[in-house]
Amino acid sequence: MYLLSEISTKAPGHLDKKEIKKQTEELLEELDSLQYLLYAEAKHAVLVVLQGPDASGKDGAIRKVFGSLNPQGVRVKSFKEPTQEELSHDFLWRIHQHTPGKGLIQIFNRSHYEDVLVTRVHKLCDDETAHLRFNAINNFEEMLASTNSTQILKFYLHVSKEEQEVRLKERLEDPTKHWKYDRKDFTESNLWDQYRKMYEDVFRFCNATPWVVVPADQNWYKEFIITQTLVNALKALNMKFPSLPEKPNN
Amino acid sequence: MYLLSEISTKAPGHLDKKEIKKQTEELLEELDSLQYLLYAEAKHAVLVVLQGPDASGKDGAIRKVFGSLNPQGVRVKSFKEPTQEELSHDFLWRIHQHTPGKGLIQIFNRSHYEDVLVTRVHKLCDDETAHLRFNAINNFEEMLASTNSTQILKFYLHVSKEEQEVRLKERLEDPTKHWKYDRKDFTESNLWDQYRKMYEDVFRFCNATPWVVVPADQNWYKEFIITQTLVNALKALNMKFPSLPEKPNN
């Protein structure tokens, strides 16, 4: 079980920012080749789940890590507050529609986990319902993996309360970040401890596909960890370019 | 465990066709009121799964039983051979998109069960994959029930081989049934015993939500059983018309 307070939100002190950035660039090139291979082979699907508090750097991670990949094989879906139509269905209904087909990388910017996070913090979901959902989530992820070769990678962007405050203030002060400003973010940041507790429940009960807790106070380290995790996961698939269906000279 | 060969495909001999038809008409009126209440209350969803061999009367059942209900609250989805896009996803992907929202009755004309029936008969799905799918189906149906109050009713239209042959021949001879003729149906009917075996596996392994085996050689009895099952299931939901959100004179 994770206790978030015991995990650092910062890069290990001995690391050299410049060196890590160089390594990230190399990994991104490798990721580009691996994504091409994933698309060509079309045997596996990859689902990347990005969760984290407001201003933990989800959008930035998507821009940096996935921004250089071929968009034909990469899709992003941001999950916002559900519509009336979505609320009339089970909570996985809108999620399942966006799971990746074979050959594709799908990024979820927020996800089905919001239904056991924000809803619990705001008392829209009681403990019993939360546990039904934990169970449903585990079965759902297991089904994607076992019946459609879906590799699921779940990242929690672990930012400190202090760093979050700095970033939320930037949204007020920097004109290029005004579009991200939302009065509600400040209200939500007051619920910091409750969010932490609910995240810890998620890590405890929905860990069949393990979570990667990414120290996210420094963007360069966050990007390095995500890219490295992706490269390693894709390499482990042992993919091959398909050969011709039959020899052309036959 | 069901052995289909031990279950009659015919109505019990003592039943009077005229009397049963009258009862069905009364039940259909009751169903109409219950569907209106389901729609108004919008607390439960109803999913009707219709399975059965070719010419077992699925289309006819839909026309007769659901044809008089308000189409605003009733939807039908027929699942045919999957597209390339559908095949690139897990087998429940295309199914989940059509599950009912609260207040609605959704009818599946064929369903996710085809992925452990026709695919197995034609050796497109091995036993190991079939058991992964049985498990996925059970979890999926349980999730719909527990997280979205979905009442699932699964009907197997149980027709005899002899009756099926009569009906398939009618498609050749009756001009109003030519549009239903498909050369493949005759090939499939040669696989009768294998389909039976695969259905028996379904009844054995996907029975958490029980199957209703409907004797289907006579349409009047088939329609009676389906309507009666629906009426009883809807009654058991103990639905109420919602009261006004606040008293109008307040």
Side-chain angles (χ1 to χ4, degrees), chain A residues 88-90 92-93 96-97 99-102 132 136 139 143-144 146-148, chain B residues 88-90 92-93 96-97 99-102 132 136 139 143-144 146-148:
Chain A
S88 82
H89 289 85
D90 68 274
L92 293 171
W93 181 74
H96 201 170
Q97 294 175 28
T99 53
K102 292 196 185 84
L132 281 175
N139 288 335
M143 182 276 293
L144 293 177
S146 70
T147 72
N148 208 44
Chain B
S88 83
H89 289 86
D90 69 273
L92 293 170
W93 181 74
H96 201 169
Q97 294 175 28
T99 54
K102 292 197 185 83
L132 281 175
N139 288 334
M143 182 276 291
L144 294 176
S146 70
T147 72
N148 207 44

PDB file of all heavy atoms in Angstrom, chain A residues 88-90 92-93 96-97 99-102 132 136 139 143-144 146-148, chain B residues 88-90 92-93 96-97 99-102 132 136 139 143-144 146-148:
ATOM      1  N   SER A  88     -26.651   8.618 -17.192  1.00  0.00           N
ATOM      2  CA  SER A  88     -27.749   7.637 -17.208  1.00  0.00           C
ATOM      3  C   SER A  88     -27.218   6.220 -17.456  1.00  0.00           C
ATOM      4  O   SER A  88     -27.976   5.256 -17.369  1.00  0.00           O
ATOM      5  CB  SER A  88     -28.791   8.009 -18.253  1.00  0.00           C
ATOM      6  OG  SER A  88     -28.405   7.572 -19.535  1.00  0.00           O
ATOM      7  N   HIS A  89     -25.927   6.105 -17.787  1.00  0.00           N
ATOM      8  CA  HIS A  89     -25.309   4.800 -18.004  1.00  0.00           C
ATOM      9  C   HIS A  89     -24.355   4.456 -16.856  1.00  0.00           C
ATOM     10  O   HIS A  89     -24.034   5.301 -16.023  1.00  0.00           O
ATOM     11  CB  HIS A  89     -24.539   4.799 -19.323  1.00  0.00           C
ATOM     12  CG  HIS A  89     -25.419   4.812 -20.534  1.00  0.00           C
ATOM     13  ND1 HIS A  89     -25.916   5.971 -21.068  1.00  0.00           N
ATOM     14  CD2 HIS A  89     -25.898   3.809 -21.306  1.00  0.00           C
ATOM     15  CE1 HIS A  89     -26.664   5.688 -22.122  1.00  0.00           C
ATOM     16  NE2 HIS A  89     -26.680   4.379 -22.289  1.00  0.00           N
ATOM     17  N   ASP A  90     -23.877   3.220 -16.864  1.00  0.00           N
ATOM     18  CA  ASP A  90     -22.843   2.855 -15.907  1.00  0.00           C
ATOM     19  C   ASP A  90     -21.603   3.712 -16.152  1.00  0.00           C
ATOM     20  O   ASP A  90     -21.389   4.199 -17.268  1.00  0.00           O
ATOM     21  CB  ASP A  90     -22.513   1.362 -16.039  1.00  0.00           C
ATOM     22  CG  ASP A  90     -21.827   1.049 -17.358  1.00  0.00           C
ATOM     23  OD1 ASP A  90     -22.528   0.816 -18.365  1.00  0.00           O
ATOM     24  OD2 ASP A  90     -20.587   1.079 -17.407  1.00  0.00           O
ATOM     25  N   LEU A  92     -18.556   3.171 -16.624  1.00  0.00           N
ATOM     26  CA  LEU A  92     -17.547   2.740 -17.600  1.00  0.00           C
ATOM     27  C   LEU A  92     -18.012   2.891 -19.048  1.00  0.00           C
ATOM     28  O   LEU A  92     -17.224   2.705 -19.977  1.00  0.00           O
ATOM     29  CB  LEU A  92     -17.158   1.277 -17.326  1.00  0.00           C
ATOM     30  CG  LEU A  92     -16.419   1.040 -16.006  1.00  0.00           C
ATOM     31  CD1 LEU A  92     -16.275  -0.448 -15.729  1.00  0.00           C
ATOM     32  CD2 LEU A  92     -15.040   1.707 -16.018  1.00  0.00           C
ATOM     33  N   TRP A  93     -19.279   3.240 -19.216  1.00  0.00           N
ATOM     34  CA  TRP A  93     -19.854   3.317 -20.565  1.00  0.00           C
ATOM     35  C   TRP A  93     -19.093   4.315 -21.452  1.00  0.00           C
ATOM     36  O   TRP A  93     -18.672   3.999 -22.556  1.00  0.00           O
ATOM     37  CB  TRP A  93     -21.336   3.706 -20.447  1.00  0.00           C
ATOM     38  CG  TRP A  93     -22.093   3.813 -21.725  1.00  0.00           C
ATOM     39  CD1 TRP A  93     -22.525   2.792 -22.526  1.00  0.00           C
ATOM     40  CD2 TRP A  93     -22.545   5.016 -22.368  1.00  0.00           C
ATOM     41  NE1 TRP A  93     -23.218   3.287 -23.602  1.00  0.00           N
ATOM     42  CE2 TRP A  93     -23.238   4.639 -23.542  1.00  0.00           C
ATOM     43  CE3 TRP A  93     -22.426   6.378 -22.066  1.00  0.00           C
ATOM     44  CZ2 TRP A  93     -23.821   5.574 -24.403  1.00  0.00           C
ATOM     45  CZ3 TRP A  93     -23.013   7.303 -22.930  1.00  0.00           C
ATOM     46  CH2 TRP A  93     -23.693   6.900 -24.089  1.00  0.00           C
ATOM     47  N   HIS A  96     -15.309   3.068 -22.009  1.00  0.00           N
ATOM     48  CA  HIS A  96     -15.070   1.916 -22.892  1.00  0.00           C
ATOM     49  C   HIS A  96     -15.053   2.334 -24.365  1.00  0.00           C
ATOM     50  O   HIS A  96     -14.305   1.795 -25.173  1.00  0.00           O
ATOM     51  CB  HIS A  96     -16.158   0.864 -22.629  1.00  0.00           C
ATOM     52  CG  HIS A  96     -15.777  -0.525 -23.060  1.00  0.00           C
ATOM     53  ND1 HIS A  96     -16.506  -1.628 -22.737  1.00  0.00           N
ATOM     54  CD2 HIS A  96     -14.739  -0.997 -23.809  1.00  0.00           C
ATOM     55  CE1 HIS A  96     -15.938  -2.708 -23.261  1.00  0.00           C
ATOM     56  NE2 HIS A  96     -14.866  -2.343 -23.914  1.00  0.00           N
ATOM     57  N   GLN A  97     -15.884   3.314 -24.709  1.00  0.00           N
ATOM     58  CA  GLN A  97     -15.950   3.779 -26.099  1.00  0.00           C
ATOM     59  C   GLN A  97     -14.603   4.290 -26.610  1.00  0.00           C
ATOM     60  O   GLN A  97     -14.370   4.334 -27.808  1.00  0.00           O
ATOM     61  CB  GLN A  97     -16.975   4.915 -26.223  1.00  0.00           C
ATOM     62  CG  GLN A  97     -18.389   4.442 -25.958  1.00  0.00           C
ATOM     63  CD  GLN A  97     -19.389   5.588 -25.966  1.00  0.00           C
ATOM     64  OE1 GLN A  97     -19.186   6.593 -26.625  1.00  0.00           O
ATOM     65  NE2 GLN A  97     -20.488   5.427 -25.255  1.00  0.00           N
ATOM     66  N   THR A  99     -11.487   3.154 -25.490  1.00  0.00           N
ATOM     67  CA  THR A  99     -10.338   2.262 -25.313  1.00  0.00           C
ATOM     68  C   THR A  99      -9.695   2.012 -26.678  1.00  0.00           C
ATOM     69  O   THR A  99     -10.371   2.067 -27.709  1.00  0.00           O
ATOM     70  CB  THR A  99     -10.773   0.932 -24.672  1.00  0.00           C
ATOM     71  OG1 THR A  99     -11.848   0.378 -25.431  1.00  0.00           O
ATOM     72  CG2 THR A  99     -11.219   1.146 -23.232  1.00  0.00           C
ATOM     73  N   PRO A 100      -8.394   1.748 -26.693  1.00  0.00           N
ATOM     74  CA  PRO A 100      -7.688   1.669 -27.983  1.00  0.00           C
ATOM     75  C   PRO A 100      -7.930   0.364 -28.728  1.00  0.00           C
ATOM     76  O   PRO A 100      -8.014  -0.707 -28.122  1.00  0.00           O
ATOM     77  CB  PRO A 100      -6.221   1.764 -27.563  1.00  0.00           C
ATOM     78  CG  PRO A 100      -6.187   1.231 -26.165  1.00  0.00           C
ATOM     79  CD  PRO A 100      -7.496   1.629 -25.542  1.00  0.00           C
ATOM     80  N   GLY A 101      -8.044   0.458 -30.045  1.00  0.00           N
ATOM     81  CA  GLY A 101      -7.983  -0.719 -30.901  1.00  0.00           C
ATOM     82  C   GLY A 101      -6.543  -1.190 -31.004  1.00  0.00           C
ATOM     83  O   GLY A 101      -5.609  -0.470 -30.627  1.00  0.00           O
ATOM     84  N   LYS A 102      -6.360  -2.383 -31.530  1.00  0.00           N
ATOM     85  CA  LYS A 102      -5.004  -2.927 -31.670  1.00  0.00           C
ATOM     86  C   LYS A 102      -4.163  -2.030 -32.589  1.00  0.00           C
ATOM     87  O   LYS A 102      -4.638  -1.569 -33.608  1.00  0.00           O
ATOM     88  CB  LYS A 102      -5.058  -4.343 -32.228  1.00  0.00           C
ATOM     89  CG  LYS A 102      -5.671  -5.338 -31.261  1.00  0.00           C
ATOM     90  CD  LYS A 102      -5.346  -6.777 -31.688  1.00  0.00           C
ATOM     91  CE  LYS A 102      -6.062  -7.776 -30.800  1.00  0.00           C
ATOM     92  NZ  LYS A 102      -7.454  -8.035 -31.247  1.00  0.00           N
ATOM     93  N   LEU A 132     -17.966  -1.246  -5.144  1.00  0.00           N
ATOM     94  CA  LEU A 132     -18.514  -1.856  -6.365  1.00  0.00           C
ATOM     95  C   LEU A 132     -17.718  -1.380  -7.580  1.00  0.00           C
ATOM     96  O   LEU A 132     -17.411  -2.153  -8.489  1.00  0.00           O
ATOM     97  CB  LEU A 132     -19.979  -1.456  -6.558  1.00  0.00           C
ATOM     98  CG  LEU A 132     -21.035  -2.188  -5.739  1.00  0.00           C
ATOM     99  CD1 LEU A 132     -22.413  -1.568  -5.982  1.00  0.00           C
ATOM    100  CD2 LEU A 132     -21.065  -3.667  -6.123  1.00  0.00           C
ATOM    101  N   ALA A 136     -15.460  -3.287 -10.341  1.00  0.00           N
ATOM    102  CA  ALA A 136     -15.786  -3.158 -11.772  1.00  0.00           C
ATOM    103  C   ALA A 136     -14.565  -2.694 -12.568  1.00  0.00           C
ATOM    104  O   ALA A 136     -14.311  -3.180 -13.671  1.00  0.00           O
ATOM    105  CB  ALA A 136     -16.949  -2.184 -11.955  1.00  0.00           C
ATOM    106  N   ASN A 139     -12.106  -5.632 -12.991  1.00  0.00           N
ATOM    107  CA  ASN A 139     -12.582  -6.571 -14.011  1.00  0.00           C
ATOM    108  C   ASN A 139     -12.448  -5.983 -15.413  1.00  0.00           C
ATOM    109  O   ASN A 139     -12.099  -6.680 -16.360  1.00  0.00           O
ATOM    110  CB  ASN A 139     -14.046  -6.937 -13.757  1.00  0.00           C
ATOM    111  CG  ASN A 139     -14.205  -7.848 -12.558  1.00  0.00           C
ATOM    112  OD1 ASN A 139     -13.276  -8.576 -12.184  1.00  0.00           O
ATOM    113  ND2 ASN A 139     -15.374  -7.816 -11.946  1.00  0.00           N
ATOM    114  N   MET A 143     -10.192  -7.409 -18.358  1.00  0.00           N
ATOM    115  CA  MET A 143     -10.816  -7.818 -19.614  1.00  0.00           C
ATOM    116  C   MET A 143     -10.093  -7.200 -20.809  1.00  0.00           C
ATOM    117  O   MET A 143      -9.819  -7.872 -21.805  1.00  0.00           O
ATOM    118  CB  MET A 143     -12.296  -7.397 -19.587  1.00  0.00           C
ATOM    119  CG  MET A 143     -13.128  -7.783 -20.786  1.00  0.00           C
ATOM    120  SD  MET A 143     -13.000  -6.632 -22.171  1.00  0.00           S
ATOM    121  CE  MET A 143     -13.793  -5.168 -21.497  1.00  0.00           C
ATOM    122  N   LEU A 144      -9.760  -5.924 -20.715  1.00  0.00           N
ATOM    123  CA  LEU A 144      -9.036  -5.268 -21.817  1.00  0.00           C
ATOM    124  C   LEU A 144      -7.697  -5.970 -22.062  1.00  0.00           C
ATOM    125  O   LEU A 144      -7.278  -6.173 -23.199  1.00  0.00           O
ATOM    126  CB  LEU A 144      -8.789  -3.791 -21.499  1.00  0.00           C
ATOM    127  CG  LEU A 144     -10.017  -2.887 -21.418  1.00  0.00           C
ATOM    128  CD1 LEU A 144      -9.600  -1.476 -21.010  1.00  0.00           C
ATOM    129  CD2 LEU A 144     -10.769  -2.839 -22.743  1.00  0.00           C
ATOM    130  N   SER A 146      -6.823  -9.160 -21.145  1.00  0.00           N
ATOM    131  CA  SER A 146      -6.857 -10.576 -21.520  1.00  0.00           C
ATOM    132  C   SER A 146      -7.559 -10.817 -22.846  1.00  0.00           C
ATOM    133  O   SER A 146      -7.222 -11.749 -23.560  1.00  0.00           O
ATOM    134  CB  SER A 146      -7.514 -11.406 -20.415  1.00  0.00           C
ATOM    135  OG  SER A 146      -8.896 -11.138 -20.349  1.00  0.00           O
ATOM    136  N   THR A 147      -8.531  -9.996 -23.205  1.00  0.00           N
ATOM    137  CA  THR A 147      -9.254 -10.282 -24.453  1.00  0.00           C
ATOM    138  C   THR A 147      -8.821  -9.406 -25.622  1.00  0.00           C
ATOM    139  O   THR A 147      -9.216  -9.667 -26.753  1.00  0.00           O
ATOM    140  CB  THR A 147     -10.798 -10.153 -24.294  1.00  0.00           C
ATOM    141  OG1 THR A 147     -11.138  -8.776 -24.174  1.00  0.00           O
ATOM    142  CG2 THR A 147     -11.307 -10.923 -23.090  1.00  0.00           C
ATOM    143  N   ASN A 148      -8.028  -8.350 -25.371  1.00  0.00           N
ATOM    144  CA  ASN A 148      -7.586  -7.529 -26.508  1.00  0.00           C
ATOM    145  C   ASN A 148      -6.117  -7.116 -26.410  1.00  0.00           C
ATOM    146  O   ASN A 148      -5.723  -6.124 -27.020  1.00  0.00           O
ATOM    147  CB  ASN A 148      -8.483  -6.287 -26.665  1.00  0.00           C
ATOM    148  CG  ASN A 148      -8.531  -5.806 -28.105  1.00  0.00           C
ATOM    149  OD1 ASN A 148      -8.657  -6.605 -29.017  1.00  0.00           O
ATOM    150  ND2 ASN A 148      -8.386  -4.500 -28.321  1.00  0.00           N
TER     151      ASN A 148
ATOM    152  N   SER B  88     -10.895  -4.815 -34.041  1.00  0.00           N
ATOM    153  CA  SER B  88      -9.633  -4.340 -33.458  1.00  0.00           C
ATOM    154  C   SER B  88      -9.783  -4.046 -31.960  1.00  0.00           C
ATOM    155  O   SER B  88      -8.794  -3.773 -31.285  1.00  0.00           O
ATOM    156  CB  SER B  88      -9.122  -3.103 -34.200  1.00  0.00           C
ATOM    157  OG  SER B  88      -9.762  -1.932 -33.723  1.00  0.00           O
ATOM    158  N   HIS B  89     -11.012  -4.089 -31.460  1.00  0.00           N
ATOM    159  CA  HIS B  89     -11.273  -3.865 -30.031  1.00  0.00           C
ATOM    160  C   HIS B  89     -11.672  -5.164 -29.345  1.00  0.00           C
ATOM    161  O   HIS B  89     -11.942  -6.171 -29.998  1.00  0.00           O
ATOM    162  CB  HIS B  89     -12.395  -2.831 -29.853  1.00  0.00           C
ATOM    163  CG  HIS B  89     -11.989  -1.443 -30.214  1.00  0.00           C
ATOM    164  ND1 HIS B  89     -12.044  -0.961 -31.497  1.00  0.00           N
ATOM    165  CD2 HIS B  89     -11.496  -0.425 -29.463  1.00  0.00           C
ATOM    166  CE1 HIS B  89     -11.617   0.296 -31.522  1.00  0.00           C
ATOM    167  NE2 HIS B  89     -11.272   0.645 -30.297  1.00  0.00           N
ATOM    168  N   ASP B  90     -11.747  -5.120 -28.028  1.00  0.00           N
ATOM    169  CA  ASP B  90     -12.278  -6.265 -27.298  1.00  0.00           C
ATOM    170  C   ASP B  90     -13.728  -6.507 -27.738  1.00  0.00           C
ATOM    171  O   ASP B  90     -14.407  -5.585 -28.180  1.00  0.00           O
ATOM    172  CB  ASP B  90     -12.190  -6.003 -25.790  1.00  0.00           C
ATOM    173  CG  ASP B  90     -13.143  -4.919 -25.343  1.00  0.00           C
ATOM    174  OD1 ASP B  90     -12.775  -3.720 -25.400  1.00  0.00           O
ATOM    175  OD2 ASP B  90     -14.276  -5.233 -24.961  1.00  0.00           O
ATOM    176  N   LEU B  92     -16.462  -6.869 -26.271  1.00  0.00           N
ATOM    177  CA  LEU B  92     -17.561  -6.174 -25.588  1.00  0.00           C
ATOM    178  C   LEU B  92     -17.648  -4.690 -25.962  1.00  0.00           C
ATOM    179  O   LEU B  92     -18.612  -4.012 -25.589  1.00  0.00           O
ATOM    180  CB  LEU B  92     -17.409  -6.319 -24.066  1.00  0.00           C
ATOM    181  CG  LEU B  92     -17.589  -7.749 -23.536  1.00  0.00           C
ATOM    182  CD1 LEU B  92     -17.188  -7.830 -22.069  1.00  0.00           C
ATOM    183  CD2 LEU B  92     -19.043  -8.216 -23.711  1.00  0.00           C
ATOM    184  N   TRP B  93     -16.654  -4.204 -26.694  1.00  0.00           N
ATOM    185  CA  TRP B  93     -16.589  -2.783 -27.034  1.00  0.00           C
ATOM    186  C   TRP B  93     -17.842  -2.310 -27.777  1.00  0.00           C
ATOM    187  O   TRP B  93     -18.491  -1.337 -27.397  1.00  0.00           O
ATOM    188  CB  TRP B  93     -15.329  -2.523 -27.870  1.00  0.00           C
ATOM    189  CG  TRP B  93     -15.097  -1.108 -28.275  1.00  0.00           C
ATOM    190  CD1 TRP B  93     -14.678  -0.089 -27.482  1.00  0.00           C
ATOM    191  CD2 TRP B  93     -15.229  -0.562 -29.599  1.00  0.00           C
ATOM    192  NE1 TRP B  93     -14.538   1.062 -28.227  1.00  0.00           N
ATOM    193  CE2 TRP B  93     -14.871   0.802 -29.523  1.00  0.00           C
ATOM    194  CE3 TRP B  93     -15.609  -1.090 -30.838  1.00  0.00           C
ATOM    195  CZ2 TRP B  93     -14.876   1.637 -30.636  1.00  0.00           C
ATOM    196  CZ3 TRP B  93     -15.612  -0.256 -31.942  1.00  0.00           C
ATOM    197  CH2 TRP B  93     -15.257   1.093 -31.839  1.00  0.00           C
ATOM    198  N   HIS B  96     -21.084  -2.685 -25.415  1.00  0.00           N
ATOM    199  CA  HIS B  96     -21.250  -1.747 -24.299  1.00  0.00           C
ATOM    200  C   HIS B  96     -21.861  -0.425 -24.769  1.00  0.00           C
ATOM    201  O   HIS B  96     -22.648   0.208 -24.062  1.00  0.00           O
ATOM    202  CB  HIS B  96     -19.888  -1.522 -23.637  1.00  0.00           C
ATOM    203  CG  HIS B  96     -19.968  -1.017 -22.235  1.00  0.00           C
ATOM    204  ND1 HIS B  96     -18.879  -0.953 -21.401  1.00  0.00           N
ATOM    205  CD2 HIS B  96     -21.001  -0.533 -21.506  1.00  0.00           C
ATOM    206  CE1 HIS B  96     -19.245  -0.464 -20.232  1.00  0.00           C
ATOM    207  NE2 HIS B  96     -20.519  -0.194 -20.266  1.00  0.00           N
ATOM    208  N   GLN B  97     -21.508   0.007 -25.968  1.00  0.00           N
ATOM    209  CA  GLN B  97     -22.025   1.268 -26.510  1.00  0.00           C
ATOM    210  C   GLN B  97     -23.550   1.290 -26.584  1.00  0.00           C
ATOM    211  O   GLN B  97     -24.154   2.356 -26.619  1.00  0.00           O
ATOM    212  CB  GLN B  97     -21.458   1.507 -27.917  1.00  0.00           C
ATOM    213  CG  GLN B  97     -19.963   1.737 -27.916  1.00  0.00           C
ATOM    214  CD  GLN B  97     -19.383   1.853 -29.313  1.00  0.00           C
ATOM    215  OE1 GLN B  97     -20.070   2.267 -30.234  1.00  0.00           O
ATOM    216  NE2 GLN B  97     -18.126   1.496 -29.475  1.00  0.00           N
ATOM    217  N   THR B  99     -25.687  -0.494 -24.468  1.00  0.00           N
ATOM    218  CA  THR B  99     -26.407  -0.851 -23.248  1.00  0.00           C
ATOM    219  C   THR B  99     -27.346   0.295 -22.880  1.00  0.00           C
ATOM    220  O   THR B  99     -27.074   1.456 -23.194  1.00  0.00           O
ATOM    221  CB  THR B  99     -25.423  -1.144 -22.096  1.00  0.00           C
ATOM    222  OG1 THR B  99     -24.534  -0.031 -21.950  1.00  0.00           O
ATOM    223  CG2 THR B  99     -24.607  -2.403 -22.367  1.00  0.00           C
ATOM    224  N   PRO B 100     -28.450  -0.029 -22.215  1.00  0.00           N
ATOM    225  CA  PRO B 100     -29.474   1.005 -21.980  1.00  0.00           C
ATOM    226  C   PRO B 100     -29.123   1.984 -20.867  1.00  0.00           C
ATOM    227  O   PRO B 100     -28.550   1.592 -19.846  1.00  0.00           O
ATOM    228  CB  PRO B 100     -30.698   0.170 -21.580  1.00  0.00           C
ATOM    229  CG  PRO B 100     -30.122  -1.075 -20.981  1.00  0.00           C
ATOM    230  CD  PRO B 100     -28.868  -1.352 -21.735  1.00  0.00           C
ATOM    231  N   GLY B 101     -29.472   3.242 -21.067  1.00  0.00           N
ATOM    232  CA  GLY B 101     -29.467   4.208 -19.988  1.00  0.00           C
ATOM    233  C   GLY B 101     -30.665   3.969 -19.081  1.00  0.00           C
ATOM    234  O   GLY B 101     -31.592   3.230 -19.435  1.00  0.00           O
ATOM    235  N   LYS B 102     -30.647   4.594 -17.910  1.00  0.00           N
ATOM    236  CA  LYS B 102     -31.762   4.414 -16.966  1.00  0.00           C
ATOM    237  C   LYS B 102     -33.064   4.908 -17.596  1.00  0.00           C
ATOM    238  O   LYS B 102     -33.096   5.948 -18.243  1.00  0.00           O
ATOM    239  CB  LYS B 102     -31.479   5.169 -15.676  1.00  0.00           C
ATOM    240  CG  LYS B 102     -30.332   4.582 -14.875  1.00  0.00           C
ATOM    241  CD  LYS B 102     -30.356   5.090 -13.439  1.00  0.00           C
ATOM    242  CE  LYS B 102     -29.143   4.617 -12.658  1.00  0.00           C
ATOM    243  NZ  LYS B 102     -27.954   5.484 -12.881  1.00  0.00           N
ATOM    244  N   LEU B 132     -12.080 -17.220 -21.283  1.00  0.00           N
ATOM    245  CA  LEU B 132     -11.794 -15.812 -20.954  1.00  0.00           C
ATOM    246  C   LEU B 132     -13.036 -14.967 -21.211  1.00  0.00           C
ATOM    247  O   LEU B 132     -13.383 -14.078 -20.438  1.00  0.00           O
ATOM    248  CB  LEU B 132     -10.650 -15.278 -21.809  1.00  0.00           C
ATOM    249  CG  LEU B 132      -9.223 -15.637 -21.411  1.00  0.00           C
ATOM    250  CD1 LEU B 132      -8.238 -15.110 -22.450  1.00  0.00           C
ATOM    251  CD2 LEU B 132      -8.899 -15.048 -20.032  1.00  0.00           C
ATOM    252  N   ALA B 136     -15.421 -12.713 -18.835  1.00  0.00           N
ATOM    253  CA  ALA B 136     -15.614 -11.292 -19.141  1.00  0.00           C
ATOM    254  C   ALA B 136     -17.110 -10.957 -19.230  1.00  0.00           C
ATOM    255  O   ALA B 136     -17.557  -9.917 -18.744  1.00  0.00           O
ATOM    256  CB  ALA B 136     -14.898 -10.931 -20.439  1.00  0.00           C
ATOM    257  N   ASN B 139     -18.622 -10.821 -15.691  1.00  0.00           N
ATOM    258  CA  ASN B 139     -18.248  -9.578 -15.013  1.00  0.00           C
ATOM    259  C   ASN B 139     -18.984  -8.375 -15.603  1.00  0.00           C
ATOM    260  O   ASN B 139     -19.398  -7.466 -14.881  1.00  0.00           O
ATOM    261  CB  ASN B 139     -16.737  -9.340 -15.118  1.00  0.00           C
ATOM    262  CG  ASN B 139     -15.949 -10.296 -14.247  1.00  0.00           C
ATOM    263  OD1 ASN B 139     -16.453 -10.792 -13.242  1.00  0.00           O
ATOM    264  ND2 ASN B 139     -14.712 -10.559 -14.629  1.00  0.00           N
ATOM    265  N   MET B 143     -21.556  -6.023 -13.673  1.00  0.00           N
ATOM    266  CA  MET B 143     -21.274  -4.594 -13.564  1.00  0.00           C
ATOM    267  C   MET B 143     -22.487  -3.760 -13.980  1.00  0.00           C
ATOM    268  O   MET B 143     -22.849  -2.787 -13.310  1.00  0.00           O
ATOM    269  CB  MET B 143     -20.044  -4.262 -14.427  1.00  0.00           C
ATOM    270  CG  MET B 143     -19.560  -2.837 -14.400  1.00  0.00           C
ATOM    271  SD  MET B 143     -20.449  -1.738 -15.536  1.00  0.00           S
ATOM    272  CE  MET B 143     -19.916  -2.353 -17.133  1.00  0.00           C
ATOM    273  N   LEU B 144     -23.128  -4.154 -15.089  1.00  0.00           N
ATOM    274  CA  LEU B 144     -24.319  -3.411 -15.529  1.00  0.00           C
ATOM    275  C   LEU B 144     -25.410  -3.465 -14.458  1.00  0.00           C
ATOM    276  O   LEU B 144     -26.082  -2.463 -14.185  1.00  0.00           O
ATOM    277  CB  LEU B 144     -24.860  -3.996 -16.839  1.00  0.00           C
ATOM    278  CG  LEU B 144     -23.981  -3.860 -18.081  1.00  0.00           C
ATOM    279  CD1 LEU B 144     -24.620  -4.588 -19.261  1.00  0.00           C
ATOM    280  CD2 LEU B 144     -23.732  -2.393 -18.437  1.00  0.00           C
ATOM    281  N   SER B 146     -24.994  -4.101 -11.101  1.00  0.00           N
ATOM    282  CA  SER B 146     -24.670  -3.523  -9.787  1.00  0.00           C
ATOM    283  C   SER B 146     -24.387  -2.020  -9.852  1.00  0.00           C
ATOM    284  O   SER B 146     -24.662  -1.308  -8.900  1.00  0.00           O
ATOM    285  CB  SER B 146     -23.480  -4.251  -9.160  1.00  0.00           C
ATOM    286  OG  SER B 146     -22.285  -3.960  -9.855  1.00  0.00           O
ATOM    287  N   THR B 147     -23.855  -1.525 -10.968  1.00  0.00           N
ATOM    288  CA  THR B 147     -23.516  -0.100 -10.988  1.00  0.00           C
ATOM    289  C   THR B 147     -24.533   0.750 -11.735  1.00  0.00           C
ATOM    290  O   THR B 147     -24.454   1.976 -11.669  1.00  0.00           O
ATOM    291  CB  THR B 147     -22.110   0.171 -11.590  1.00  0.00           C
ATOM    292  OG1 THR B 147     -22.165  -0.046 -13.004  1.00  0.00           O
ATOM    293  CG2 THR B 147     -21.044  -0.716 -10.976  1.00  0.00           C
ATOM    294  N   ASN B 148     -25.469   0.120 -12.471  1.00  0.00           N
ATOM    295  CA  ASN B 148     -26.463   0.951 -13.165  1.00  0.00           C
ATOM    296  C   ASN B 148     -27.882   0.386 -13.082  1.00  0.00           C
ATOM    297  O   ASN B 148     -28.715   0.703 -13.930  1.00  0.00           O
ATOM    298  CB  ASN B 148     -26.071   1.180 -14.637  1.00  0.00           C
ATOM    299  CG  ASN B 148     -26.628   2.477 -15.184  1.00  0.00           C
ATOM    300  OD1 ASN B 148     -26.569   3.504 -14.518  1.00  0.00           O
ATOM    301  ND2 ASN B 148     -27.204   2.442 -16.379  1.00  0.00           N
TER     302      ASN B 148
END
